[in-house]
Amino acid sequence: MLGAPVLREPGHAPVVHLVRGGVIEGVHHGSVVVLGAGGEVRFRLGDAEAAFYPRSALKPLQAVAMLRAGLPLDGDLLSLAAASHSGEERHLDGTRRILDLAGLTEAELRNTPDMPYDPVVRDSWVREGRGPSRLAQNCSGKHAAMLWTAKLNGWSLDDYLEPAHPLQRAVAETVEDLTGQRIAHVTVDGCGAPLFAVSLHGLARALGRVTAAAPGTPEARVADAMREHAEMASGVHRDVAALMRAVPGLLAKDGFEGVQVAALPDGRAVAVKIADGADRARVPVAAAALARAGIDPALLTEFAGAPLLGGGRPVGAVRTVPALDLAS
């Protein structure tokens, strides 16, 4: 196993140009790494080795850790356990189902109450006078699964989010196992769970190992569940679900602050971090990285970048930098 990545200011590079009327109006910086089926680096741009926070892109690894610890989930509910969901009714109902199977209630969740992530669903909640909810918060499926895992193992429930808790130690061990490197730092994610700093390279390596794992293993079960139930892992309007629908066999997971990781069944993997956290840059950079990994660019056209409008008509576009183009 490799040592922990270095804690430093990442050396990000330009990855996206905002081109309006033929002039570069703005630039998004970030880092990208593309791995081949054997884990070798096929392309990199920026700084893929500095320690960073993968945010919710770690959820597939957290789900693997819970399966290794005995969590008996598969299918749509396992996908929800690895989800950053949109707060649709299917997600709330699924979280209730996990809690019911565990003999637990919403009151035992310790994630931060929030409104639904999907703006349409959130607006509906506001019109109905509904407030923040632990069920509606995008990590509720993961937290319900964490509680059930703790209960199955006879571990305490009230402190299941503490880094020293046996559950979180098991998650940390799985993160290190799959990334192939020591964790550089531990902090608290937005939902209250421990968040582990690894490298972008390590994150890509981990998801490649998940998708290339032997059938029936915890890794393969997580990959199968998320691919087969992409909307449960995200939401009906989410770009990450659309990406999995567009590319056969692809497993993809996004994370707050401009993080994207994706991998194919043979272990090819890509990981992206946008320095300023912009989704308008995350999606086209991920698409360009997947093309670099060997995906047919025709499958990725809808993710190539949004137009920039002037007077209600397209006058420019969000474009990846030439260094990301296959031709270069």
Side-chain angles (χ1 to χ4, degrees):
M1 180 178 292
L2 300 173
V6 177
L7 293 166
R8 64 175 183 236
E9 181 178 353
H12 292 307
V15 290
V16 162
H17 289 159
L18 309 180
V19 181
R20 181 182 296 272
V23 174
I24 297 175
E25 181 180 33
V27 180
H28 290 290
H29 290 69
S31 295
V32 187
V33 65
V34 179
L35 304 184
E40 73 281 6
V41 175
R42 294 176 54 174
F43 175 82
R44 75 172 85 209
L45 182 64
D47 190 349
E49 307 301 337
F52 89 117
Y53 293 130
R55 303 299 299 269
S56 287
L58 270 183
K59 284 177 177 172
L61 280 61
Q62 292 170 315
V64 169
M66 289 187 274
L67 293 187
R68 289 180 176 182
L71 181 67
L73 282 180
D74 282 293
D76 63 334
L77 294 185
L78 177 54
S79 183
L80 181 61
S84 300
H85 66 70
S86 292
E88 300 162 21
E89 190 55 43
R90 77 179 86 191
H91 302 127
L92 277 62
D93 179 65
T95 301
R96 294 188 193 100
R97 286 162 58 200
I98 296 174
L99 291 169
D100 287 345
L101 287 167
L104 300 167
T105 68
E106 180 183 352
E108 288 162 290
L109 293 171
R110 293 292 181 267
N111 58 317
T112 307
D114 201 356
M115 301 291 280
Y117 180 76
D118 184 279
V120 175
V121 180
R122 187 188 314 124
D123 288 348
S124 177
W125 273 53
V126 171
R127 287 194 300 271
E128 295 168 6
R130 303 168 74 177
S133 157
R134 294 188 194 275
L135 280 180
Q137 197 269 338
N138 76 89
C139 304
S140 63
K142 177 184 78 174
H143 281 255
M146 283 183 167
L147 278 169
W148 193 8
T149 305
K151 184 176 180 180
L152 288 167
N153 285 277
W155 299 329
S156 57
L157 301 185
D158 288 347
D159 60 344
Y160 75 94
L161 294 181
E162 292 299 319
H165 191 279
L167 170 66
Q168 302 304 339
R169 291 204 305 268
V171 172
E173 289 172 4
T174 296
V175 169
E176 291 190 331
D177 174 38
L178 292 175
T179 61
Q181 61 186 188
R182 298 296 182 190
I183 291 167
H185 190 66
V186 182
T187 188
V188 183
D189 209 341
C191 67
L195 176 61
F196 307 110
V198 295
S199 70
L200 197 65
H201 187 172
L203 179 65
R205 183 189 298 119
L207 204 69
R209 289 175 172 175
V210 168
T211 56
T217 60
E219 294 90 330
R221 287 167 59 193
V222 169
D224 289 344
M226 293 181 70
R227 285 185 296 227
E228 293 169 12
H229 303 276
E231 286 79 11
M232 192 63 105
S234 52
V236 68
H237 300 123
R238 298 277 288 282
D239 56 67
V240 69
L243 191 59
M244 284 194 276
R245 289 192 300 266
V247 180
L250 185 72
L251 174 62
K253 184 70 187 77
D254 53 349
F256 280 154
E257 299 302 329
V259 181
Q260 180 75 61
V261 64
L264 292 152
D266 63 2
R268 284 175 290 162
V270 308
V272 171
K273 164 63 181 175
I274 304 301
D276 63 0
D279 278 345
R280 69 176 176 182
R282 170 183 59 84
V283 178
V285 172
L290 286 168
R292 283 270 185 181
I295 299 301
D296 181 356
L299 299 175
L300 303 166
T301 302
E302 67 176 291
F303 308 101
L308 296 180
L309 303 182
R313 60 185 179 84
V315 294
V318 177
R319 296 177 185 167
T320 53
V321 297
L324 274 166
D325 293 342
L326 278 174
S328 66

